[in-house]
Amino acid sequence: MIRIFINGYGNIGRRLASALSADKEIKFLGIAKYTADNKTQEALEKRFDVYVPSELIRHFKERNYRITGTIKDAIAQSDIVIDAAKEGGGFENKKRLYEPMKKPAIFQGGEDRHGDRSVADIIHNSRVNYEKTAGKTYVIQGSCNVSGIGRVMQPLIERFGNEIKRYDLTLIRRSADLEDSKQVHDSIEWDKNPHHQNDVKDFIPSANLYVDAYKVPSRMMHVHQMTVRFNGKSPSRDRILEAFHNEFGIALLSSAKGTADVRTKAIQLGFEHGDTNMVHIHQELLRVEDDTVKIAYSDDQTGMVIPENYLLLQSMIFKCSKTEAIRKTDHLFQISKKKKILEEEFN
Ligand SMILES: NC(=O)c1ccc[n+]([C@@H]2O[C@H](COP(=O)([O-])OP(=O)(O)OC[C@H]3O[C@@H](n4cnc5c(N)ncnc54)[C@H](OP(=O)(O)O)[C@@H]3O)[C@@H](O)[C@H]2O)c1
């Protein structure tokens, strides 16, 4: 059995741990903790083995946390590591641990694709380049925004291809996640050089795409406003919606009033971690005029990348066909069922 270790137990690591611990096909070794806080207790209550840096074992034991071993021990035993370090921390882990120990790894979207701190030469987006990651040693799973963008752009490209002239995208990003203890500042912050534009071009090199990004004081979800310009008259509203009807991980909603409506519904419905794991196109905001289509969708920042990491694992390690990988992912995350429920709730 393939042995997998998750290095990090923050918002992403704890969700990955919930999913992987439920997968009977792999041996889930456990998670890494670096701070002896109540999240350690949470991991132990969920029966995850907890590994810590060797120099901190005493610190965790003083607080009566049951520790299975050191992070190095766990990595030595693993066939692949999913790195879930806080933004940028994956680079040091690669240099200090994964490369010397010759372990393949999946990195998260906060890591660099280019420059001195680049961790991999490919960004994965299951809708676009799933097959290209098969057998790779290091791959970045695109961030929540980048994953959502690929999921929406690719069906349009497949349907309308050369008819599309350019994409302009405004990302309205949440400032923090619901579980984050950090304060949300009362400010709308801009990003003078959003990384999302180049990240998307990594897997859709031909995209004539321009991205602006703002952070708003909210914890719920991101909203993306995508403007698509066509060479001539744009396709009808029905043809645009048709392109998304049967898409895995895209729900078509009509009556949500905002991101909190969707998140709160997911929590009320008992979806694990309150995640929908998808993007939600808000049909009532879809505008079609002359050569232009405007599409607005919300993107479940925390949930979106978890099935994406799982799909990436199916390609890198199991070399599964995409159809089989989607079948397995749907079984584990119940994406199709959640999509149907959300579409009924917000019809
Ligand atoms: N949050 C999201 O919505 C989201 C969505 C998509 C992608 N991402 C990306 O996913 C990554 C993780 O984000 P996050 O939101 O989960 O961050 P987070 O909640 O801040 O958690 C980061 C974790 O890193 C751990 N850590 C500290 N030093 C470490 C090390 N050397 N190696 C590994 N882990 C270490 C921390 O452990 P202790 O708590 O024990 O100190 C903490 O649990 C980032 O690249 C981020 O950009 C995040």
Side-chain angles (χ1 to χ4, degrees):
M1 257 197 186
I2 297 287
R3 289 156 304 178
I4 304 178
F5 179 61
I6 299 176
N7 193 8
Y9 193 71
N11 296 335
I12 297 304
R14 57 198 282 276
R15 287 172 164 80
L16 288 167
S18 300
L20 294 184
S21 62
D23 183 7
K24 304 274 180 295
E25 263 188 27
I26 57 151
K27 167 102 182 93
F28 172 52
L29 293 175
I31 58 105
K33 272 298 286 171
Y34 291 78
T35 309
D37 56 12
N38 58 1
K39 285 283 188 300
T40 316
Q41 187 57 35
E42 177 200 281
L44 290 168
E45 281 167 10
K46 291 186 167 182
R47 300 179 179 281
F48 302 151
D49 282 342
V50 175
Y51 295 83
V52 305
S54 54
E55 65 279 13
L56 295 181
I57 288 187
R58 200 168 51 87
H59 198 60
F60 278 81
K61 286 201 168 155
E62 277 166 9
R63 285 163 177 73
N64 290 323
Y65 291 134
R66 196 184 65 252
I67 300 308
T68 305
T70 68
I71 290 169
K72 263 194 168 165
D73 291 340
I75 295 174
Q77 289 172 49
S78 66
D79 297 303
I80 183 166
V81 180
I82 305 192
D83 188 283
K86 59 179 175 288
E87 239 166 78
F91 177 74
E92 273 82 31
N93 289 340
K94 181 181 178 188
K95 293 292 158 201
R96 200 169 50 83
L97 298 163
Y98 316 146
E99 274 183 346
M101 295 170 83
K102 299 194 172 22
K103 297 295 176 180
I106 291 175
F107 295 94
Q108 303 309 309
E111 302 302 324
D112 288 357
R113 160 70 180 86
H114 297 284
D116 296 346
R117 292 178 61 84
S118 164
V119 293
D121 63 7
I122 183 167
I123 296 178
H124 171 249
N125 185 287
S126 68
R127 186 61 182 80
V128 186
N129 66 353
Y130 171 85
E131 287 86 0
K132 287 196 177 150
T133 59
K136 288 263 182 198
T137 310
Y138 301 116
V139 180
I140 300 172
Q141 171 52 53
S143 72
C144 39
N145 287 294
V146 168
S147 297
I149 299 167
R151 201 170 282 187
V152 173
M153 277 180 74
Q154 190 61 17
L156 293 173
I157 291 169
E158 286 172 13
R159 205 64 60 132
F160 306 112
N162 292 337
E163 291 175 52
I164 298 173
K165 191 155 70 182
R166 72 181 258 170
Y167 302 82
D168 290 274
L169 186 60
T170 303
L171 309 182
I172 305 163
R173 303 171 60 203
R174 59 87 184 93
S175 300
D177 297 324
L178 279 172
E179 302 103 304
D180 284 334
S181 51
K182 74 174 176 189
Q183 290 291 311
V184 165
H185 296 298
D186 185 358
S187 172
I188 297 174
E189 290 169 8
W190 38 89
D191 183 343
K192 63 178 186 222
N193 188 20
H195 68 88
H196 315 85
Q197 183 168 308
N198 283 339
D199 283 3
V200 172
K201 287 184 183 172
D202 201 61
F203 51 84
I204 311 181
S206 62
N208 190 17
L209 168 73
Y210 301 89
V211 177
D212 293 305
Y214 297 89
K215 263 191 202 166
V216 295
S218 171
R219 293 176 185 271
M220 290 294 178
M221 282 184 189
H222 306 301
V223 170
H224 297 178
Q225 173 72 58
M226 183 183 279
T227 302
V228 189
R229 293 226 157 69
F230 287 77
N231 285 316
K233 194 170 163 40
S234 71
S236 66
R237 178 190 161 81
D238 285 351
R239 283 188 69 210
I240 298 287
L241 287 173
E242 235 172 58
F244 299 113
H245 261 301
N246 296 321
E247 278 295 320
F248 184 67
I250 296 187
L252 293 169
L253 312 186
S254 301
S255 63
K257 291 191 180 60
T259 51
D261 265 10
V262 184
R263 177 69 74 203
T264 310
K265 186 62 77 180
I267 295 168
Q268 281 168 359
L269 289 165
F271 292 178
E272 191 160 30
H273 297 288
D275 292 340
T276 71
N277 304 112
M278 63 189 93
V279 298
H280 326 93
I281 292 183
H282 299 287
Q283 300 185 77
E284 71 277 30
L285 298 179
L286 191 92
R287 311 256 185 273
V288 177
E289 205 176 311
D290 301 330
D291 62 347
T292 303
V293 174
K294 288 187 174 183
I295 303 169
Y297 56 94
S298 48
D299 173 310
D300 170 13
Q301 78 282 10
T302 40
M304 183 76 192
V305 295
I306 312 303
E308 282 288 295
N309 271 272
Y310 187 73
L311 281 158
L312 176 53
L313 203 58
Q314 302 311 311
S315 171
M316 278 175 81
I317 297 294
F318 295 101
K319 303 188 182 65
C320 270
S321 71
K322 188 166 164 181
T323 311
E324 176 61 2
I326 287 182
R327 190 195 62 73
K328 283 161 78 171
T329 307
D330 203 17
H331 180 70
L332 193 59
F333 293 91
Q334 300 286 298
I335 306 263
S336 303
K337 190 173 166 197
K338 287 178 185 166
K339 166 179 165 130
K340 188 164 175 282
I341 294 173
L342 289 170
E343 288 181 348
E344 279 167 10
E345 291 282 343
F346 291 106
N347 75 8

